[in-house]
Amino acid sequence: MTSKSAKSKTCDPARRQVIFVVYPDIVLLDLSGPLQVFSHAIDPATGQQGFECQVVSVQGGAVPTNTVLSIPSCAVSDISGLSGHTVIVVGGDGAVPGMRDRALINTVSKLAQGAARVCSVCSGALVLAAAGLLDGRRAVTHWEDCARLANGFPKVEVEMDPIFIKDAAVWTSAGITAGIDMALAIVAEDLGRAASFRVARSMVVQMVRSGGQSQFSPVLGRQQRDGAGQFDALHTWIAENPGASLSVQRLAARTNMSARNFARVYAKEMGITPAKAVEAIRVEKAQALLAGTGQGIKKIATVCGFGSEERMRRAFVRLLNVSPTTYRQNFRGTSGQAGLE
């Protein structure tokens, strides 16, 4: 698993084992989210549970999390006969001391031998990096830990934005809930997209996101930049009326400001022009319709105020680096229906 040329393998269908590595002060959701995904996944070929999950630690026993709960685990020395398994290193506050814990690093290295894939959730990437498993690879972690990962491990090609990255047989994911997205992608790789969508629906996940999605919520980002909430109502109105004529003059009128003053204040507060903000909100609305409805792309372009498919395509490529057609293919089931029938 340390070789850059390693090929991604599919787990042995007879024994798709997923080994979660934990240590003190993990984030509980970093473990429970992906664990629930794999526990829910059904192999369509057999109708049986598709994965066998185990939680391991260096010594075994109860491992404290960053909540009031502790997690039972078995010792790595008690595991034998692994072949074609998946290793997932969980993240948490304990990842920083963990990346300096030789026993933990040796445990991860041992489990990585012969693994079909090695993965991390959130700051678990620090532990993978300390084991040398990310050298020469693209990787992501929680945005708060990206600088630590880049500075501490210069051989790692750290990317800040994606929710998860697959580089050959090594997968890394961003903060907390991104581990669920990564797990769903692994289910799709091993059991097929239909199986992945079934798990997503069962867990009431609103959208199966690809790794190319950003770990930053655009709505939350706007709310953070607009600390006083001056434009909250305006943003809500734009999202509810994306097909309307959204000129600076009309937006200014809704905020009881002159067009000139509105454009100046908005750009200063939000860091972008009103026109770029409108385009971003329209793209977000189009994303939802592409993923959640059967409407044609031309109709969606009209409903969202782009006026033409080509204008919507250019906006998608500019903001998401993907076309509307590709976006729909990535975020909908193979049946062509929203979700899974």
Side-chain angles (χ1 to χ4, degrees):
M1 290 299 303
T2 59
S3 171
K4 175 67 176 176
S5 62
K7 300 293 184 181
S8 180
K9 300 178 287 184
T10 300
C11 293
D12 180 355
R15 293 190 64 176
R16 291 189 190 90
Q17 293 180 293
V18 181
I19 311 298
F20 290 90
V21 181
V22 298
Y23 45 84
D25 293 326
I26 63 166
V27 169
L28 184 58
L29 190 55
D30 281 4
L31 169 65
S32 62
L35 178 60
Q36 198 67 62
V37 169
F38 290 114
S39 298
H40 264 54
I42 301 298
D43 186 342
T46 65
Q48 304 297 315
Q49 187 171 338
F51 298 88
E52 176 188 337
C53 300
Q54 296 187 68
V55 179
V56 306
S57 61
V58 174
Q59 301 295 336
V63 176
T65 72
N66 67 341
T67 72
V68 297
L69 300 178
S70 293
I71 297 298
S73 68
C74 61
V76 66
S77 58
D78 294 334
I79 300 178
S80 62
L82 290 177
S83 176
H85 56 292
T86 294
V87 177
I88 300 180
V89 179
V90 177
D93 295 338
V96 174
M99 69 183 187
R100 305 186 184 101
D101 184 335
R102 183 45 50 189
L104 176 60
I105 300 307
N106 289 341
T107 291
V108 172
S109 297
K110 177 181 178 181
L111 290 171
Q113 296 175 11
R117 59 176 75 88
V118 174
C119 317
S120 64
V121 179
C122 196
S123 55
L126 295 170
V127 178
L128 287 191
L133 296 166
L134 299 184
D135 287 356
R137 298 187 184 279
R138 297 169 55 242
V140 67
T141 185
H142 191 288
W143 61 270
E144 292 180 325
D145 292 306
C146 282
R148 188 192 301 274
L149 180 61
N151 294 333
F153 304 96
K155 293 182 180 180
V156 182
E157 300 174 25
V158 180
E159 296 187 18
M160 189 172 182
D161 199 47
I163 57 172
F164 67 85
I165 290 174
K166 176 188 176 185
D167 187 331
V170 177
W171 301 57
T172 52
S173 63
I176 308 178
T177 57
I180 294 175
D181 297 291
M182 181 182 71
L184 287 168
I186 292 173
V187 170
E189 182 168 280
D190 280 5
L191 303 181
R193 285 168 57 86
S196 178
F197 274 93
R198 282 194 189 91
V199 177
R201 289 191 69 181
S202 176
M203 294 179 64
V204 200
V205 175
Q206 293 188 0
M207 181 183 291
V208 178
R209 303 185 294 173
S210 75
Q213 289 265 52
S214 173
Q215 62 175 292
F216 302 103
S217 163
V219 176
L220 182 58
R222 284 193 291 271
Q223 290 173 338
Q224 282 185 311
R225 289 190 294 272
D226 183 18
Q230 182 178 4
F231 299 114
D232 275 357
L234 178 65
H235 292 148
T236 298
W237 181 79
I238 294 171
E240 292 174 348
N241 300 276
S245 173
L246 300 177
S247 64
V248 170
Q249 290 77 12
R250 187 170 187 186
L251 298 179
R254 293 197 66 87
T255 59
N256 296 316
M257 300 169 71
S258 70
R260 182 177 180 180
N261 190 44
F262 166 73
R264 179 185 62 80
V265 173
Y266 189 92
K268 180 180 179 181
E269 187 73 19
M270 302 303 298
I272 59 173
T273 65
K276 288 187 180 298
V278 167
E279 180 183 64
I281 295 173
R282 281 172 165 164
V283 166
E284 291 161 25
K285 178 64 175 180
Q287 286 177 266
L289 293 176
L290 287 166
T293 76
Q295 292 182 30
I297 292 178
K298 182 176 182 179
K299 182 176 180 180
I300 290 174
T302 300
V303 168
C304 293
F306 291 103
S308 70
E309 292 182 60
E310 177 57 23
R311 286 186 62 190
M312 186 169 80
R313 188 195 67 79
R314 290 200 300 267
F316 264 66
V317 171
R318 184 162 48 248
L319 297 181
L320 304 177
N321 199 33
V322 67
S323 71
T325 299
T326 301
Y327 184 90
R328 167 164 274 175
Q329 291 171 346
N330 288 342
F331 293 102
R332 296 180 63 198
T334 56
S335 66
Q337 300 296 317
L340 180 71
E341 294 301 320

